[in-house]
Amino acid sequence: MSAAHDHHDGHGDIGYHATLKGYATGFVLSVILTAIPFWLVMAKVLPPDATKFIILGFAAVQVVVHMVYFLHMNAKVEGGWSMLALVFTIIVVVVMLAGSIWVMYHMNANMMPMDPHAMRNMP
């Protein structure tokens, strides 16, 4: 085989080549995206409800950082199929979580109410 075939996967896609700079950038961003929410919680800077939503936002950003810098996911790798698989996975997870929350909410709302006396006599 020639040298051209040694670095080629046969499908016209050379793929993503990781660099030390890319890993270092991802690591620094991950540390920052972990340290800020940790500080918000430990210093009690904001009310608990606001802190919850801010932590969720930082978590979502950190997931994206990990996918880009460590899993090397982008629209170019594998002809875009890895990104399409990710989008499909996200849709399935959102549907499953929303459906589960919906079912649990309605099961709780439609449960037969019990009086305190009946609850004490339960085994």
Side-chain angles (χ1 to χ4, degrees), residues 79-97:
W81 285 107
S82 62
M83 191 62 69
L84 186 64
L86 174 68
V87 170
F88 178 72
T89 303
I90 290 171
I91 290 170
V92 168
V93 168
V94 167
V95 168
M96 288 177 57
L97 285 174

Side-chain angles (χ1 to χ4, degrees), residues 16-118:
Y16 182 84
H17 295 287
T19 63
L20 182 60
K21 181 182 176 185
Y23 281 121
T25 303
F27 177 74
V28 169
L29 287 173
S30 295
V31 169
I32 291 169
L33 292 170
T34 301
I36 292 173
F38 183 79
W39 172 75
L40 287 173
V41 171
M42 295 307 290
K44 297 180 182 175
V45 176
L46 300 170
D49 290 335
T51 304
K52 290 176 193 175
F53 288 111
I54 291 173
I55 289 173
L56 285 174
F58 274 99
V61 172
Q62 193 166 97
V63 166
V64 172
V65 166
H66 282 242
M67 288 189 317
V68 170
Y69 287 99
F70 300 120
L71 297 178
H72 313 298
M73 293 188 75
N74 60 31
K76 297 176 186 173
V77 175
E78 296 178 10
W81 285 107
S82 62
M83 191 62 69
L84 186 64
L86 174 68
V87 170
F88 178 72
T89 303
I90 290 171
I91 290 170
V92 168
V93 168
V94 167
V95 168
M96 288 177 57
L97 285 174
S100 297
I101 291 170
W102 181 74
V103 166
M104 288 187 287
Y105 172 79
H106 284 284
M107 284 182 68
N108 186 40
N110 294 326
M111 291 290 292
M112 187 182 324
M114 297 182 108
D115 63 351
H117 178 17

